[in-house]
Amino acid sequence: MAQPPKLIAWEFTKSCNLSCAHCRGASTSEVDSDELTTNESKHFIDEIADIGSPILILSGGEPLIRDDIFEIASYGTEKGLRVVMATNGTLVTSDIAEKLKQSGVQRVSISIDGATSDTHDGFRGLPGAFKGALNGIEIFKKIGIGVQINTTITKRNIQEIPDIFEFTKNIGAEALHIFMLVPTGRGKEIEEDEIPPEEYEKVLNWFYEQQKYSPIQLKATCAPQYFRVVIQREQKNGRKLSFENDGYNAMTKGCLGGTGFCFVSSRGEVYPCGYLPALAGDLRQQSFKDIWNNSKVFNDLRDSSKLKGKCGVCEYKKICGGCRARAYAETGDYLDEEPYCIYNPKQKSKVSK
């Protein structure tokens, strides 16, 4: 039996009212007739609750597109799950926010990919998306639902990241989560917008410095090297991480795909994460418990001794693990070395593929 997942991201629908340049799922305005039905969705929640009580992220596309979003959120809450939602914010009204609160949704994440409307709207593919997101944030704040800001960092907005951090604090958000672009979905079309590995490392070090004194929660996602950076910086300062002093950084690791996290598509396909299209199982053919415990993909990812290249000999492999999605996008092998990491392991001379 594997440890139960701590987080499950569920692509509740692929349908979306926006057309974001970096969309993992290449969402469209059309509704997929093969999405999990309301009854299938409830059965999936039953299966989750049978093995644990993880955070369930209702994502998309845009989850507010589906009429049964409140029913499913309520059902998840009743089953003891911590239900949260990822939305672009543009469809939010006071009535919708109140229904989400009554459904037990405890936090919403809204993506802000620029400190100005020009940058954000350019990402989102719709004039007015920035204004709509800000309106959604204000409504959630008034209704008493916590707001988290998600930001995908690319060449388009890297200079605005400090301003986005200040913006996040000023609007009263609870958290800022930064995401490093992974070239999947429509993101493949803007692969040239990935920041260079050296800039990537600088951003992670800057983020570490902000986290030390930040009044809000900061989390780096799709950036497993961050935890190697944290340890290196703490060692340089003569400190060792502890839960009492460092909280989240001391109790987690980089890539959680298949170990503490998984992604479920709108059709019930289960993957290590939304950026890694290595199929672990199908909810219409297997139970979630069976997939989580017995999938080859998941069990491969749980065994750090299977990592290849410099990740395989890296002294931080159990802390970082490298981005398996980037390795897959680069080589077709999710166990290969992380192509965006500039760190040279002490045992690099032993690297073999």
Side-chain angles (χ1 to χ4, degrees):
M1 292 288 291
Q3 289 292 318
K6 294 180 174 61
L7 286 160
I8 297 175
W10 181 6
E11 180 190 52
F12 195 51
T13 179
K14 284 181 70 72
S15 183
C16 189
N17 61 315
L18 301 183
S19 183
C20 304
H22 56 309
C23 179
R24 169 209 54 76
S27 298
T28 69
S29 59
E30 297 181 4
V31 176
D32 184 355
S33 61
D34 201 27
E35 290 178 348
L36 294 179
T37 65
T38 301
N39 286 336
E40 286 177 317
S41 297
K42 289 182 176 180
H43 181 65
F44 171 41
I45 289 174
D46 289 339
E47 292 191 323
I48 296 172
D50 184 48
I51 65 170
S53 54
I55 297 172
L56 179 63
I57 308 167
L58 298 175
S59 184
E62 172 50 60
L64 291 176
I65 294 285
R66 276 187 60 158
D67 294 334
D68 58 353
I69 179 67
F70 311 111
E71 181 179 356
I72 295 303
S74 294
Y75 193 76
T77 300
E78 291 166 6
K79 289 292 181 176
L81 308 182
R82 176 181 166 87
V83 180
V84 299
M85 190 181 73
T87 173
N88 59 49
T90 62
L91 300 180
V92 178
T93 64
S94 295
D95 181 57
I96 285 174
E98 183 59 45
K99 287 180 179 178
L100 289 173
K101 186 175 182 180
Q102 292 175 359
S103 300
V105 172
Q106 297 188 40
R107 179 186 277 190
V108 295
S109 64
I110 294 181
S111 295
I112 296 293
D113 292 309
T116 66
S117 58
D118 286 346
T119 308
H120 180 82
D121 291 358
F123 263 100
R124 297 282 146 182
L126 180 72
F130 187 70
K131 183 178 180 180
L134 294 184
N135 181 62
I137 289 168
E138 285 305 309
I139 292 173
F140 282 129
K141 284 172 56 184
K142 287 179 182 178
I143 213 73
I145 296 179
V147 175
Q148 166 186 315
I149 300 301
N150 291 350
T151 298
T152 298
I153 300 178
T154 69
K155 290 178 182 177
R156 300 186 186 195
N157 65 1
I158 188 171
Q159 299 303 322
E160 297 180 27
I161 299 305
D163 292 332
I164 293 174
F165 179 40
E166 291 303 314
F167 163 87
T168 302
K169 292 187 290 185
N170 292 338
I171 63 169
E174 295 179 348
L176 171 63
H177 290 200
I178 59 169
F179 290 70
M180 294 302 181
L181 178 67
V182 180
T184 57
R186 267 198 299 273
K188 191 74 175 175
E189 299 172 14
I190 60 167
E191 192 170 358
E192 69 279 1
D193 283 341
E194 279 190 286
I195 60 176
E198 294 76 17
E199 286 296 314
Y200 184 5
E201 191 85 359
K202 288 179 182 177
V203 168
L204 297 183
N205 275 276
W206 173 84
F207 203 64
Y208 163 84
E209 290 161 3
Q210 308 315 306
Q211 190 173 55
K212 297 292 290 182
Y213 307 104
S214 175
I216 63 173
Q217 180 199 53
L218 299 180
K219 182 175 181 290
T221 303
C222 303
Q225 294 95 319
Y226 179 69
F227 296 93
R228 182 254 305 159
V229 168
V230 169
I231 289 177
Q232 288 177 313
R233 294 290 298 268
E234 292 296 337
Q235 288 176 338
K236 188 175 181 179
N237 294 330
R239 289 186 68 247
K240 186 175 181 180
L241 292 178
S242 69
F243 175 72
E244 291 75 17
N245 296 321
D246 303 282
Y248 175 80
N249 284 341
M251 58 185 289
T252 190
K253 66 168 194 168
C255 180
L256 295 175
T259 59
F261 173 85
C262 70
F263 171 86
V264 178
S265 80
S266 60
R267 296 184 175 190
E269 301 143 325
V270 183
Y271 299 93
C273 82
Y275 301 101
L276 175 50
L279 184 65
D282 189 326
L283 293 175
R284 285 172 167 156
Q285 298 176 19
Q286 304 160 263
S287 71
F288 179 71
K289 182 178 182 179
D290 179 34
I291 296 169
W292 181 255
N293 286 324
N294 302 315
S295 160
K296 180 183 184 305
V297 175
F298 287 169
N299 281 299
D300 280 347
L301 295 174
R302 291 165 188 158
D303 186 355
S304 61
S305 70
K306 292 187 176 182
L307 294 177
K308 302 175 183 177
K310 69 178 186 178
C311 284
V313 299
C314 183
E315 60 270 30
Y316 295 105
K317 69 179 179 181
K318 292 184 178 180
I319 297 163
C320 166
C323 178
R324 301 297 96 220
R326 283 198 192 88
Y328 187 84
E330 181 84 7
T331 69
D333 183 352
Y334 55 76
L335 294 173
D336 214 332
E337 68 180 41
E338 151 78 82
Y340 245 56
C341 180
I342 66 171
Y343 178 70
N344 288 317
K346 294 178 181 178
Q347 301 296 316
K348 190 179 179 183
S349 61
K350 297 181 180 181
V351 170
S352 62
K353 292 196 176 186

